[in-house]
């Protein structure tokens, strides 16, 4: 693309329109639970169609379910896909950002109504102002600017304001990917990064370990094998053996690998030696580790303990959040974004990592360059007085637009 083309596209980005669009998104309540995205999805759809972009609402099949057993009606959680087709179908650059938000438990503690989108001192306030409607607004408005400028791309730009991210994406990105709606060659996940370019994200694996002992009367505990005792030994080994080793598993852009025993369930009565004890484990792991290596580490601890005091055990994967994201900083997508950020903001930045979880994990392990990029400080996500800087919001819109032009030129 030549400089005149880029200037033409950037001239189509109006600061006030971007701000007003985000305000409209914030005023559409889409909190999870229940995660109803009908209103906010229709606002995104309207904006895309008004710019002449081919767009549609997509509803998940009724058999698409979350692991949270939340009984959400799938007819209430549409996602949006907008497509700008160029001279060729490939490559496909995907903009993905989620339109659902977490709930508001303390509205009286907010400076402003969390669903008002109030502007104050250069910031827009409201639930989703950072996580993640600012990224949605910036991605949509970047695509709108390209469409209004009448630019013909070499490839396809796909804009995906997506539902269900806060409920682990089983009815959103996960389902859309598996059904073939999303087959990108490059992915930009819109998330709060303070307009930094993130190239890495840890993976999540939730495990349930069942320790099997032997039941007995509480008056004669020697006749049994107390599953809680065995579980306590196992948990202690996680704390003293595994956790310290995980601190040595580091990444230049991410926190080290971690393990957290988050729930325990055992016992049927106070006068019975417990036969079963279930332990829930949250494991976060970095690029270079795999699902198999994570499971093997847990199994090795169980094998070691069961040799000392025999007991049976089972390990179940409750949820596999996907592979870790680890994109080479030298990838053209990363370098294009970094250059666009510098040109728009005047600041030269280095790659970083995304410490929270995102839908980026759903494209990891497939040889696809994946980055996270978006306005707002990640520290204000899910918090009271969530907000985004207007300057960052507009800058992000321009960075998205430049990146799409250059990747599809």
């Amino acid at each position: 693309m030549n400089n005149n083309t880029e200037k033409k596209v950037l001239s189509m980005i109006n600061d006030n329109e971007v701000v007003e669009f985000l305000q409209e998104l914030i005023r559409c309540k889409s909190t999870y639970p229940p995660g109803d995205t009908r209103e906010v999805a229709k606002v995104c759809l309207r904006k895309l169609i008004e710019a002449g972009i081919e767009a549609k609402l997509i509803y998940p099949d009724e058999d698409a379910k979350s692991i949270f057993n939340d009984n959400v009606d799938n007819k209430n959680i549409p996602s949006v896909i907008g497509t700008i087709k160029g001279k060729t179908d490939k490559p496909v650059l995907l903009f993905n950002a989620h339109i659902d938000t977490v709930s508001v438990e303390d509205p009286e503690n907010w400076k402003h109504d969390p669903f008002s989108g109030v502007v104050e001192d250069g910031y827009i306030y409201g639930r989703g102002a950072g996580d993640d409607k600012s990224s949605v607004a910036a991605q949509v408005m970047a695509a709108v600017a390209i469409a209004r400028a009448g630019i013909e791309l070499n490839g396809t730009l796909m804009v995906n304001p997506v539902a269900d991210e806060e409920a682990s994406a089983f009815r959103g990105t996960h389902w859309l990917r598996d059904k073939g709606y999303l087959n990108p060659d490059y992915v930009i996940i819109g998330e709060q990064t303070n307009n930094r370019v993130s190239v890495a994200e840890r993976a999540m694996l939730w495990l349930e370990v069942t320790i099997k002992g032997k039941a007995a009367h509480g008056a004669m505990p020697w006749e049994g094998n107390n599953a809680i005792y065995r579980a306590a030994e196992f948990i202690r080994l996680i704390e003293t053996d595994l956790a310290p080793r995980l601190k040595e598993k580091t990444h230049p852009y991410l926190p080290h690998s971690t393990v957290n025993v988050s729930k325990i369930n055992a016992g049927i009565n106070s006068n019975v030696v417990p036969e079963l004890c279930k332990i829930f484990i949250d494991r976060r792991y970095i690029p270079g580790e795999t699902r198999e290596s994570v499971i093997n580490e847990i199994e090795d601890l169980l094998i070691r303990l069961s040799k000392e005091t025999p007991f049976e055990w089972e390990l179940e994967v409750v949820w596999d959040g996907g592979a870790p994201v680890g994109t080479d900083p030298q990838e053209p997508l990363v370098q294009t974004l970094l250059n666009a950020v510098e040109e728009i903001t005047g600041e030269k930045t280095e790659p970083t990592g995304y410490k929270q979880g995102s839908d980026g994990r759903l494209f990891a392990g497939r040889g696809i360059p994946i980055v996270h990029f978006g306005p707002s400080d990640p520290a204000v996500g899910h918090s009271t007085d969530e907000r985004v800087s207007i300057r960052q919001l507009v800058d992000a819109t321009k960075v998205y637009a430049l990146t799409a032009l250059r990747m599809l030129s």
Side-chain angles (χ1 to χ4, degrees), residues 348-368:
K348 184 176 179 62
T349 59
E350 297 296 326
T352 186
Y354 189 65
K355 296 179 177 61
Q356 293 85 348
S358 81
D359 283 355
R361 59 190 167 76
L362 299 171
F363 300 100
R366 296 168 178 244
I368 302 170

Side-chain angles (χ1 to χ4, degrees), residues 117-184:
V118 166
V119 172
E120 181 180 271
D121 297 329
Y123 286 84
I124 306 168
Y125 285 81
R127 177 55 82 223
D131 187 14
D132 190 34
K133 291 178 178 178
S134 58
S135 289
V136 173
Q139 289 185 346
V140 169
M141 294 308 301
V144 166
I146 292 171
R148 286 175 178 170
I151 304 302
E152 188 172 21
L153 304 172
N154 283 314
T156 300
L157 175 61
M158 185 175 287
V159 188
N160 178 213
V162 72
D164 207 48
E165 193 270 353
E166 297 293 356
S168 299
F170 285 97
R171 296 159 296 204
T173 301
H174 193 291
W175 181 82
L176 291 166
R177 181 204 66 188
D178 287 352
K179 291 295 181 177
Y181 289 103
L182 305 178
N183 291 298

Side-chain angles (χ1 to χ4, degrees), residues 189-260:
I189 301 293
E191 285 285 2
Q192 295 171 279
T193 68
N194 263 332
N195 282 0
R196 297 280 303 277
V197 181
S198 162
V199 298
E201 176 187 348
R202 293 186 301 174
M204 294 177 282
L205 194 65
W206 290 355
L207 305 169
E208 186 179 71
V209 174
T210 302
I211 304 290
K212 298 181 179 182
K214 179 184 177 184
H217 196 289
M220 296 180 291
W222 57 84
E223 294 292 340
N225 185 2
N226 192 311
I228 291 179
Y229 290 170
R230 306 290 80 78
E233 294 164 352
F234 171 58
I235 293 169
R236 182 65 174 166
L237 201 55
I238 288 176
E239 181 183 18
T240 60
D241 185 300
L242 180 57
R245 285 191 281 123
L246 295 185
K247 289 183 180 179
E248 304 301 316
K249 296 189 177 186
T250 60
H251 188 279
Y253 305 125
L254 294 170
H256 61 72
S257 294
T258 57
V259 61
N260 177 48

Side-chain angles (χ1 to χ4, degrees), residues 194-334:
N194 263 332
N195 282 0
R196 297 280 303 277
V197 181
S198 162
V199 298
E201 176 187 348
R202 293 186 301 174
M204 294 177 282
L205 194 65
W206 290 355
L207 305 169
E208 186 179 71
V209 174
T210 302
I211 304 290
K212 298 181 179 182
K214 179 184 177 184
H217 196 289
M220 296 180 291
W222 57 84
E223 294 292 340
N225 185 2
N226 192 311
I228 291 179
Y229 290 170
R230 306 290 80 78
E233 294 164 352
F234 171 58
I235 293 169
R236 182 65 174 166
L237 201 55
I238 288 176
E239 181 183 18
T240 60
D241 185 300
L242 180 57
R245 285 191 281 123
L246 295 185
K247 289 183 180 179
E248 304 301 316
K249 296 189 177 186
T250 60
H251 188 279
Y253 305 125
L254 294 170
H256 61 72
S257 294
T258 57
V259 61
N260 177 48
V261 177
S262 54
K263 288 194 295 185
I264 185 167
N265 184 21
I268 58 173
N269 211 334
S270 58
N271 61 351
V272 177
V273 173
E275 184 176 21
L276 297 177
C277 183
K278 292 183 180 291
I279 302 149
F280 194 90
I281 298 171
D282 178 342
R283 180 73 163 80
R284 309 292 172 110
Y285 61 100
I286 62 173
E289 296 183 271
T290 65
R291 168 189 164 121
E292 290 71 26
S293 68
V294 167
I295 291 173
N296 288 340
E297 285 173 335
I298 299 295
E299 288 181 335
D300 287 346
L301 296 183
L302 290 163
I303 291 169
R304 190 196 315 178
L305 278 174
S306 62
K307 287 180 179 178
E308 296 173 3
T309 304
F311 63 88
E312 295 182 1
W313 52 269
E314 291 181 357
L315 187 151
E316 178 186 357
V317 175
V318 177
W319 180 47
D320 182 350
V325 175
T327 301
D328 186 340
Q330 297 306 312
E331 279 283 350
L333 177 61
V334 178

Side-chain angles (χ1 to χ4, degrees), residues 338-397:
L338 288 170
N339 290 334
V341 170
E342 184 175 2
E343 289 178 37
I344 295 299
T345 69
E347 297 180 9
K348 184 176 179 62
T349 59
E350 297 296 326
T352 186
Y354 189 65
K355 296 179 177 61
Q356 293 85 348
S358 81
D359 283 355
R361 59 190 167 76
L362 299 171
F363 300 100
R366 296 168 178 244
I368 302 170
I370 304 162
V371 297
H372 308 85
F373 176 82
S376 183
D377 185 342
V380 305
H382 297 193
S383 71
T384 301
D385 294 330
E386 185 177 350
R387 60 199 176 276
V388 63
S389 156
I390 291 175
R391 184 71 270 146
Q392 276 196 355
L393 173 67
V394 175
D395 283 350
T397 305

